[in-house]
């Protein structure tokens, strides 16, 4: 009987010791996160220069004899991952109404007094058919706004550039280009 007890005790001990092995569990996990960047420059939706119009109306003698300025808020909204320049040009040398022409240099474009959130060096540009720098070395940023003043000075509206032209609407496109530095 002693033999049976000893064998039972050894079997019981082997079972307990054999099943008492605890498996280790993971307590940490590691994941790799990648951020892939690309250079971006964009004139964003919400820019009033996209598909909008600037309308000058000369209806009275006073209109021809005074500066006319039209301010457009959020004319340009630019997102850029690098510093950038903004250039402007007309789609041709003249505002056109059929065969009648007004030279584009009657119009000056410049940053408004409350220019918006876009930094950089801003210049007044007398419009022409060649690219001219409106903003130089603007700092990078997201949704940077530029409010613009479109001005026809009295010196132009009271000159033969505009006076004596047939009545009607004269049209030309203006193109803005943002370029990363």
């Amino acid at each position: 009987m002693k033999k049976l007890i000893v064998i039972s005790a050894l079997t019981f001990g082997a079972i307990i010791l054999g099943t008492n092995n605890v498996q280790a569990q993971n307590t940490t996990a590691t994941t790799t996160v990648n951020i892939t960047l690309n250079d971006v420059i964009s004139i964003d939706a919400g820019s009033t220069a996209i598909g909008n119009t600037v309308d000058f109306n000369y209806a009275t003698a006073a209109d021809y004899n005074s500066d006319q300025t039209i301010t457009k808020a959020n004319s340009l909204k630019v997102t850029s991952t690098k510093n950038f320049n903004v250039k402007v040009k007309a789609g041709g040398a003249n505002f056109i109404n059929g065969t009648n022409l007004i030279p584009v240099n009657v119009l000056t474009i410049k940053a408004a007094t409350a220019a918006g959130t876009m930094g950089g060096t801003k210049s007044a540009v007398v419009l022409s058919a060649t690219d001219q720098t409106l903003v130089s070395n603007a700092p990078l940023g997201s949704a940077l706004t530029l409010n613009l003043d479109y001005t026809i000075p009295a010196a132009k509206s009271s000159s033969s550039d505009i006076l004596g032209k047939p009545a009607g609407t004269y049209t030309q496109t203006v193109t803005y280009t943002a370029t990363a530095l």
Side-chain angles (χ1 to χ4, degrees):
M1 181 82 158
K2 271 185 176 189
K3 202 176 192 185
L4 189 57
I5 295 175
V6 171
I7 291 175
S8 294
L10 287 175
T11 304
F12 185 68
I15 291 173
I16 291 177
L17 291 176
T19 60
N20 208 11
N21 241 351
V22 176
Q23 296 293 326
Q25 295 179 352
N26 287 334
T27 58
T28 62
T30 303
T31 298
T32 301
V33 176
N34 296 318
I35 298 175
T36 303
L37 301 177
N38 291 297
D39 289 333
V40 170
I41 188 161
S42 170
I43 296 177
D44 300 338
S47 298
T48 59
I50 297 174
N52 206 337
T53 59
V54 177
D55 295 315
F56 287 92
N57 188 15
Y58 288 89
T60 67
D63 294 336
Y64 286 93
N65 292 311
S66 61
D67 293 351
Q68 281 202 31
T69 298
I70 297 173
T71 301
K72 290 289 189 172
N74 299 320
S75 293
L76 296 174
K77 189 188 276 188
V78 176
T79 295
S80 181
T81 56
K82 296 185 181 245
N83 288 7
F84 61 95
N85 290 339
V86 175
K87 294 188 175 190
V88 60
K89 71 176 181 177
N94 297 291
F95 292 96
I96 301 169
N97 177 4
T99 59
N100 303 303
L101 307 174
I102 295 174
V104 293
N105 70 359
V106 300
L107 180 64
T108 300
I109 301 172
K110 66 176 185 162
T113 303
T117 60
M118 186 182 298
T121 303
K122 296 165 184 80
S123 302
V125 171
V126 175
L127 191 60
S128 75
T130 59
D131 270 329
Q132 297 182 75
T133 303
L134 183 63
V135 181
S136 62
N137 199 27
L140 60 91
S142 179
L144 302 170
T145 59
L146 179 64
N147 304 322
L148 292 175
D149 281 346
Y150 295 82
T151 301
I152 297 177
K156 292 291 187 176
S157 61
S158 64
S159 75
S160 62
D161 287 338
I162 292 180
L163 284 178
K165 304 290 181 185
T169 301
Y170 293 74
T171 303
Q172 186 52 264
T173 59
V174 176
T175 301
Y176 298 92
T177 305
T179 307
L181 299 178

